[in-house]
Amino acid sequence: MIQIQSTENERGLYRGALEFAGRQVRALVERHPDFYPMYTMAGRWKHSGEAWTHWCDGFLPGMMWILYGQFQDTPEAGWWREQAIRYSQPLEPRQFDRTVHDLGFIFLSTYFRWYRFTQAPALKDVLIQAGRTMGLRFQEKGQYLSSFIADESLFIDIMMNVGIVFYAALKTSDAALLDVAMRHALTTRRVLVRGDGSTAHEGIFDLKSGEFLRQTTHQGYRGDSCWSRGLAWALYGFGACYRSTGDPRFLETAERCAEFYVRHTPGDGVPPWDYDAPEEGRRLLDTSAAAIASSGLFQLAGHAPDPVKGEFYRQTARTILTSLCSKHLAAGDPSWEGVLKGGVYHIHKGLGVNESVMWGEYFFLEALERALR
């Protein structure tokens, strides 16, 4: 169980981590210009390992937008803005991409942040189109947005992407699109979130009848296990759904996932890659799950109706973030090109295991941003 900890110099620790991240990102841009990495191999970004899909392309420019926001009052601000635009613009055609379920990852980290700085209508139009494209994945009989794997497949990851559908629906007052987003979230809540707050990675449906058939996984230990990154996606994603809708069912679900995370994660807040892996396997941590959970708990703290509970979420988020900064930062290893060590991408494929992973980098910076706000 996570043990709440605090240090007198947390703000300095977080600021130092942010500055280190800025140096690492700048070095990546200079070393491999116009390259969108996914995970490191032996600490190096540029390699020949499998990418699987291009679902991570928004995270590097998203980090640049965070760094621009944090360093606006410094001489570096112009460079960060220039790079953030340079790396965001090539993603624009993907607003029409129907091959992936990751348009939220791609556009909420980039165009959404860019739009908040400028309020340019053209940026908003891209976000709306991305949400409409994402909505086309909806399977009417099963009431869910399908994963890129197959039409009968529902991923817990999509809870991090349904936000782009909510955005498009709410900005255009499109009741039908809003209904798609709502029904997807409610189906995910019903079939992938268990009574104890743990989560399954994937659900399989019968396409003819819409009947839910079973829970399974691609990246977790077993179909009935709790893969920690999937739990973090749910904690964060249902909290974001509550922020968009105010529906108490989504807040209840996010809090249930948060309770499981707190109860079953070691004291420093960094979880094993899967909570149900054998004891030896649980020694492999996933810092990317911790980064997502920390940012999600900061978000949840702002929505909890009980101020005591809200403060508990905030302090838990800080405990996790402090552990990441003090134990898992790559600052002590000059040969390491990433920011945060100890992430896990796909253990069964042997991809990005105990490495830096781009979603871990992005949500780590977002958690730092929220802590420093």
Side-chain angles (χ1 to χ4, degrees):
M1 183 170 179
I2 297 176
Q3 304 298 313
I4 300 297
Q5 306 165 17
S6 62
T7 67
E8 293 182 3
N9 196 33
E10 276 182 344
R11 190 170 184 84
L13 183 67
Y14 299 160
R15 194 70 190 176
L18 194 73
E19 290 170 356
F20 170 68
R23 293 193 296 273
Q24 294 294 82
V25 172
R26 182 182 279 271
L28 169 60
V29 170
E30 292 171 351
R31 192 179 296 116
H32 307 298
D34 303 313
F35 173 61
Y36 295 80
M38 179 177 285
Y39 60 92
T40 60
M41 287 181 67
R44 302 285 179 171
W45 286 120
K46 190 95 171 182
H47 53 75
S48 59
E50 181 184 352
W52 204 14
T53 74
H54 290 282
W55 66 279
C56 290
D57 292 359
F59 294 133
L60 179 57
M63 292 169 71
M64 294 170 176
W65 283 116
I66 292 173
L67 291 163
Y68 168 63
Q70 291 296 308
F71 297 136
Q72 278 192 84
D73 299 327
T74 73
E76 294 182 327
W79 188 86
W80 283 118
R81 180 182 174 86
E82 177 186 333
Q83 297 306 314
I85 293 173
R86 170 185 163 190
Y87 278 76
S88 296
Q89 282 180 327
L91 304 178
E92 188 167 319
R94 297 195 66 186
Q95 65 186 294
F96 303 104
D97 187 351
R98 295 188 61 180
T99 66
V100 299
H101 60 248
D102 303 300
L103 297 185
F105 283 140
I106 293 166
F107 288 101
L108 293 177
S109 57
T110 56
Y111 275 70
F112 179 71
R113 288 182 173 274
W114 188 1
Y115 177 68
R116 286 198 302 182
F117 283 118
T118 68
Q119 298 297 300
L123 303 176
K124 181 180 176 181
D125 290 344
V126 171
L127 290 164
I128 290 169
Q129 180 57 56
R132 287 173 171 159
T133 301
M134 181 75 187
L136 296 174
R137 305 194 69 83
F138 192 68
Q139 301 294 320
E140 185 67 39
K141 287 187 177 178
Q143 305 283 287
Y144 62 93
L145 298 163
S146 61
S147 83
F148 81 99
I149 292 288
D151 288 346
E152 62 266 24
S153 165
L154 163 65
F155 273 18
I156 195 68
D157 313 44
I158 301 173
M159 286 309 303
M160 296 293 289
N161 292 281
V162 70
I164 195 76
V165 185
F166 276 115
Y167 181 89
L170 293 169
K171 291 299 180 182
T172 60
S173 300
D174 186 332
L177 191 59
L178 180 61
D179 189 51
V180 161
M182 286 291 296
R183 285 188 285 168
H184 169 82
L186 290 171
T187 297
T188 305
R189 177 179 184 264
R190 176 173 61 85
V191 303
L192 295 187
V193 182
R194 306 181 183 113
D196 62 355
S198 66
T199 55
H201 179 195
E202 183 184 29
I204 301 296
F205 290 78
D206 183 301
L207 287 176
K208 290 183 179 179
S209 67
E211 177 188 0
F212 177 69
L213 300 177
R214 66 185 181 277
Q215 296 178 347
T216 185
T217 190
H218 293 269
Q219 298 188 46
Y221 174 61
R222 290 188 313 244
D224 63 346
S225 71
C226 184
W227 172 54
S228 63
R229 191 164 91 233
L231 176 68
W233 290 146
L235 188 166
Y236 189 121
F238 279 103
C241 285
Y242 176 72
R243 183 182 63 201
S244 294
T245 66
D247 191 310
R249 292 172 292 185
F250 299 145
L251 178 61
E252 182 272 335
T253 306
E255 291 192 324
R256 201 152 29 104
C257 293
E259 182 177 353
F260 185 94
Y261 189 96
V262 170
R263 285 185 178 276
H264 295 273
T265 299
D268 67 354
V270 181
W273 72 279
D274 191 297
Y275 289 98
D276 297 291
E279 185 174 353
E280 184 176 342
R282 287 201 302 275
R283 295 174 189 163
L284 177 64
L285 305 178
D286 186 1
T287 57
S288 74
I292 299 157
S294 178
S295 189
L297 285 165
F298 277 122
Q299 173 183 246
L300 198 55
H303 299 303
D306 178 354
V308 174
K309 185 179 286 187
E311 184 59 24
F312 172 74
Y313 291 147
R314 188 173 294 106
Q315 290 302 323
T316 304
R318 298 181 79 89
T319 293
I320 299 167
L321 190 56
T322 297
S323 293
L324 293 175
C325 290
S326 60
K327 298 180 180 180
H328 300 281
L329 212 61
D333 187 346
S335 68
W336 199 276
E337 294 180 351
V339 176
L340 197 62
K341 289 186 172 184
V344 177
Y345 177 20
H346 200 308
I347 194 165
H348 305 302
K349 287 177 173 277
L351 306 178
V353 179
N354 201 19
E355 295 282 349
S356 294
V357 293
M358 279 310 299
W359 56 94
E361 310 278 89
Y362 173 79
F363 287 104
F364 177 58
L365 261 65
E366 186 181 81
L368 289 170
E369 176 189 41
R370 286 175 161 165
L372 290 166
R373 187 173 296 158

